[in-house]
Amino acid sequence: ECRQTMIRGLNLSLYPKSDTKRVQRDLFKYVKEKKPDAVRYLLAVGANPNAFQSDGRGGWNALLLAALDGHLGVVRALLDDPRTNLRLTGRSTEQRADEIAEEMRGEDDPVYKLLVQELAKVERGERAEGEPAPGPEPVSPMTSSCAVGLSSQ
């Protein structure tokens, strides 16, 4: 059963800690829907920012999807989590998030600029490397019927 809470003016479902698959599925859902507050919430309740989703394209993680879509707020939400690994590459593209953003929108893209800036911090030791990708079991792209009331920002 879902309980409701308010986070920065959004109604969000409280996810039980035991439902990690739903939390992870919904992370991908809200990255694609460009909802940074929902992404922050799901990361806070245990979603892994480095997990790969199998979606027919060979596997993408949340940061790669956010870079592909070019949503600065979602990218920032993911980068605010110290577990996010900026050096992971797509399993089919073999590109990092910054390379995807540059290819999609060029060097003037704010998402590209932010990712390059954060990678430089990793290189200088000012930002943690992030965690490695979890094991080979990809997350299904199914969605939850429990989360409600999330808005894009």
Side-chain angles (χ1 to χ4, degrees):
E1 184 172 317
C2 296
R3 296 179 294 151
Q4 297 294 315
T5 188
M6 295 293 288
I7 295 182
R8 293 185 3 157
L10 299 176
N11 287 323
L12 295 171
S13 297
L14 275 178
Y15 291 77
K17 291 254 183 210
S18 61
D19 199 354
T20 57
K21 285 186 180 184
R22 189 179 86 201
V23 168
Q24 199 64 49
R25 280 192 312 256
D26 285 355
L27 175 65
F28 291 110
K29 175 184 176 185
Y30 294 124
V31 165
K32 289 176 186 176
E33 292 180 6
K34 301 176 176 134
K35 296 180 178 176
D37 289 334
V39 169
R40 279 187 186 87
Y41 175 78
L42 291 169
L43 292 169
V45 297
N48 185 331
N50 302 314
F52 281 84
Q53 173 188 34
S54 179
D55 62 359
R57 294 183 286 180
W60 295 71
N61 70 17
L63 185 62
L64 297 172
L65 286 170
L68 182 69
D69 289 341
H71 194 275
L72 188 60
V74 172
V75 170
R76 280 191 177 133
L78 291 161
L79 292 176
D80 286 346
D81 189 315
R83 299 173 298 159
T84 300
N85 188 328
L86 284 93
R87 292 185 179 169
L88 292 179
T89 61
R91 294 190 172 158
S92 61
T93 66
E94 296 184 13
Q95 292 178 300
R96 294 185 318 244
D98 62 305
E99 295 166 332
I100 291 169
E102 180 186 23
E103 183 177 308
M104 297 301 294
R105 290 170 304 282
E107 290 182 359
D108 292 330
D109 176 49
V111 169
Y112 170 75
K113 289 179 179 181
L114 176 62
L115 291 166
V116 168
Q117 178 183 29
E118 294 301 311
L119 275 166
K121 288 180 184 177
V122 170
E123 295 295 326
R124 293 190 306 263
E126 297 170 5
R127 177 187 168 93
E129 175 76 28
E131 294 179 359
E137 191 173 318
V139 177
S140 166
M142 296 174 65
T143 60
S144 167
S145 60
C146 189
V148 294
L150 299 173
S151 66
S152 179
Q153 293 189 5

